[in-house]
Amino acid sequence: MADIVEPKRARGGRTQRREARAGSQAVHRPYIVRGIPTYDILSDESLTRIEATADRILAEIGIELRDDHPTMELYRAAGAEVTAESDRVWRVKFPPGMLREILASAPPVFTQHARNPAANVLIGGPNVVFAPSYGSPFVMDMDRGRRYGTIEDFQNFVKLSQASPWLHHSGGTVCEPTDVPVNKRHLDMVYAHLRYSDRGFLGSITAPERAADSIDMARVVFGEAFVDQNCVVMGNFNTTSPLVIDGVTAAGIRTYAAANQGSIHLPFLLGGAVAPLTIAGMVAQGLAESMASCAIAQLTRKGAPTILASFFSSMSLRTGSPTFGTPEPAIGSLAMGQLARRLNMPLRCAGNFATSKLPDGQAMQQSMMSMMSAIQGGANYVLHSAGFLDGLLSMSYEKHVLDTDMCGALHAYMDGMAVDDDALAFEALAELGPGKHLFSTQHTLRHYETAYWESEINDDRPFETWSEQGGLDSAQRANARWKKTLAEFQAPPMDVALDDALKDFIARKKSTMQDMWY
């Protein structure tokens, strides 16, 4: 069921052999099945204390719900204490244990179906799905610098993600296409995901009607009956921290859940600003907010695909600026992994976060700190796996390439280590005996092409060779890589009738609206 990426054109000699090996490795797995255990950082006693604090937040302080009367009624009917603070604002308090009981109906593992069935992903359990970054208003590359994103940039990032064997999902708002009216750009974004990728994707969440449009476009491609029974699109929803769920978010969650589509429920917590600056306090608040948000999906349609989520960030307390890729939030992600497993729910957390303004050493150091917390903590869906720069304000072409290469290394890391007769390789040592190198042994000859993951970006040659051939750094190599990838990109095939139906849907929708630029 795997799609094999064709090897790059050979240039002869060592380069030919190296590129052939890289090509043989580049088999697109639809998702990773974890071969290593998660890292449990907290004791049961500590986890119980965090859960008790989350329950206390929900019971004594509560969640403020704004501008969505149907969600208020869902909460009240389920047993929450609802107090009206105005005609459009309610304080909702949840008895301890209530939300856990509601969330018991959320599936621990579910399938998001892709346009190409070989690219379906399993989300939850031991499965890990990588998706590109999300939400940046700016894009940047080494040639044109930092600028507002356009629909062409958006399409380019969808293509780059589709071309990488190390990503599994097309993502959502990979950058804001600011050259398209605000009220219409969701149509062009969903079309780009459906046309230039054959993987799963995220739809719009900026208004309930845009969420409905995203689902309707999926129905055009997958069929209405199939969509009613299967997840084919998801929405990524943020609470308004601290402890607020606004009406647009609540109505959007209900729209996706009513259609049996997936939803991700993410508090974006900045320590010291909208959350306690202590990690334990931040985790307790994040758990409370995400559970309250997840419950809306289950109260709308029991069994709707639902993902618990967290986004933790520290802050420079001298300047007030967010700091990404720091160690304390990484610890928080590890704790969230344990809490999600206790709830038996899929988890989204962390990613390749960086506040660096360039695809440099700082960027990759911060990214690795954050990304490894998702890998070790047991995240099932990792948004922001590629392209995140400038504190999420910018989507970087070069960083996308560097990050996807890192994702390739993480595939090998999460495979773990086989321990069988062949892997223990006794015969490799016995064949020639002491004092002889192993280059020519049968074991080496059988495995040398596939024994190790090999980067397509790193330059591991001797200094002299590297210097003689231009002395390019990793960002410069990534710059050449993304240009080559886009030049050679071929969109996955789509039936002409489906393509025409999508274009017709978009044209009809756009004709009913005046352009809005705010």
Side-chain angles (χ1 to χ4, degrees):
M1 293 179 63
D3 297 326
I4 299 178
V5 177
E6 292 296 326
K8 297 169 286 182
R9 186 179 301 278
R11 294 197 293 268
R14 181 180 179 186
T15 299
Q16 177 180 352
R17 293 190 298 273
R18 183 176 186 271
E19 295 195 349
R21 288 195 300 274
S24 71
Q25 291 178 12
V27 178
H28 173 230
R29 301 190 212 175
Y31 51 91
I32 300 169
V33 179
R34 173 183 293 276
I36 59 174
T38 56
Y39 180 55
D40 293 344
I41 192 170
L42 294 180
S43 66
D44 285 344
E45 179 185 0
S46 294
L47 293 169
T48 298
R49 293 194 67 179
I50 289 174
E51 290 170 335
T53 301
D55 282 347
R56 188 179 177 195
I57 292 168
L58 291 164
E60 297 182 23
I61 304 172
I63 297 291
E64 183 174 284
L65 173 67
R66 299 175 181 171
D67 298 316
D68 192 52
H69 192 271
T71 293
M72 182 275 290
E73 291 291 359
L74 287 174
Y75 279 146
R76 181 151 58 190
E81 176 189 322
V82 178
T83 303
E85 298 189 343
S86 73
D87 290 343
R88 299 167 58 184
V89 179
W90 304 270
R91 183 71 64 90
V92 184
K93 297 181 179 180
F94 305 90
M98 173 185 164
L99 291 183
R100 285 180 177 78
E101 185 175 332
I102 292 170
L103 296 180
S105 62
V109 181
F110 66 90
T111 300
Q112 183 180 1
H113 293 263
R115 186 161 69 83
N116 173 9
N120 292 351
V121 293
L122 275 178
I123 299 176
N127 310 300
V128 183
V129 174
F130 290 157
S133 195
Y134 181 110
S136 300
F138 299 101
V139 300
M140 63 169 64
D141 62 63
M142 294 176 67
D143 303 298
R144 292 175 288 173
R146 186 177 189 256
R147 60 196 185 281
Y148 282 108
T150 65
I151 191 62
E152 181 181 7
D153 290 308
F154 188 98
Q155 294 165 352
N156 283 345
F157 282 116
V158 172
K159 293 173 182 178
L160 289 171
S161 297
Q162 170 71 15
S164 172
W166 310 124
L167 296 180
H168 315 109
H169 197 275
S170 195
T173 306
V174 288
C175 69
E176 281 288 347
T178 59
D179 55 340
V180 181
V182 171
N183 60 327
K184 298 179 180 181
R185 65 181 60 158
H186 67 287
L187 300 166
D188 295 319
M189 290 191 286
V190 170
Y191 177 76
H193 284 300
L194 288 167
R195 183 64 193 92
Y196 300 115
S197 174
D198 59 7
R199 300 174 182 173
F201 68 99
L202 302 176
S204 178
I205 49 85
T206 51
E209 62 272 17
R210 297 170 198 165
D213 286 344
S214 302
I215 297 166
D216 284 341
M217 290 178 72
R219 290 183 176 122
V220 170
V221 173
F222 291 91
E224 189 165 346
F226 187 86
V227 170
D228 184 64
Q229 296 300 313
N230 299 277
C231 176
V232 301
V233 60
M234 299 194 298
N236 182 68
F237 293 96
N238 290 101
T239 57
T240 305
S241 301
L243 304 176
V244 174
I245 299 176
D246 66 69
V248 170
T249 295
I253 293 168
R254 291 190 294 104
T255 301
Y256 276 90
N260 198 32
Q261 300 309 295
S263 52
I264 303 166
H265 301 261
L266 185 78
F268 191 132
L269 300 186
L270 178 60
V274 298
L277 52 74
T278 53
I279 299 303
M282 196 184 301
V283 170
Q285 177 187 333
L287 178 63
E289 289 189 21
S290 187
M291 288 173 63
S293 182
C294 287
I296 300 172
Q298 294 308 301
L299 292 172
T300 301
R301 181 165 174 167
K302 186 178 290 189
T306 308
I307 300 177
L308 192 78
S310 67
F311 192 122
F312 301 135
S313 175
S314 53
M315 182 175 69
S316 170
L317 297 176
R318 295 180 182 86
T319 67
S321 298
T323 51
F324 293 99
T326 51
E328 295 86 359
I331 295 293
S333 293
L334 294 175
M336 277 301 298
Q338 291 180 264
L339 293 163
R341 288 189 288 280
R342 284 160 72 99
L343 279 170
N344 200 25
M345 291 184 69
L347 174 69
R348 179 213 146 179
C349 73
N352 270 314
F353 298 166
T355 51
S356 180
K357 312 308 179 285
L358 295 171
D360 56 8
Q362 176 186 332
M364 299 314 294
Q365 180 271 327
Q366 292 176 325
S367 289
M368 182 58 85
M369 172 65 74
S370 179
M371 191 68 164
M372 285 303 291
S373 71
I375 300 312
Q376 303 285 40
N380 303 111
Y381 182 81
V382 186
L383 201 59
H384 304 307
S385 292
F388 188 120
L389 208 58
D390 187 23
L392 191 53
L393 290 175
S394 299
M395 184 74 167
S396 163
Y397 280 81
E398 288 81 18
K399 180 76 161 26
H400 188 283
V401 172
L402 295 170
D403 286 341
T404 53
D405 197 59
M406 183 199 296
C407 288
L410 292 172
H411 278 69
Y413 182 80
M414 279 192 283
D415 282 344
M417 181 175 66
V419 182
D420 54 27
D421 288 346
D422 186 58
L424 289 168
F426 176 85
E427 74 274 14
L429 290 168
E431 183 175 331
L432 298 176
K436 305 294 193 301
H437 68 69
L438 276 66
F439 294 133
S440 63
T441 64
Q442 291 304 305
H443 187 272
T444 298
L445 293 173
R446 284 200 311 273
H447 293 292
Y448 79 96
E449 290 188 323
T450 58
Y452 306 125
W453 171 79
E454 189 168 350
S455 170
E456 294 188 345
I457 296 299
N458 292 351
D459 191 319
D460 300 316
R461 298 170 298 175
F463 180 92
E464 292 76 12
T465 306
W466 167 79
S467 180
E468 289 169 1
Q469 297 189 8
L472 301 180
D473 64 25
S474 59
Q476 291 169 315
R477 295 192 294 273
N479 178 269
R481 170 68 62 175
W482 70 257
K483 292 174 182 175
K484 182 176 185 290
T485 300
L486 290 179
E488 296 176 352
F489 181 82
Q490 293 184 2
M494 172 180 273
D495 182 83
V496 174
L498 281 182
D499 193 24
D500 288 343
L502 285 170
K503 291 176 179 176
D504 179 65
F505 179 93
I506 292 169
R508 285 187 288 107
K509 279 288 179 179
K510 286 187 174 182
S511 70
T512 65
M513 298 180 279
Q514 296 291 323
D515 290 354
M516 295 176 60
W517 292 98
Y518 58 90

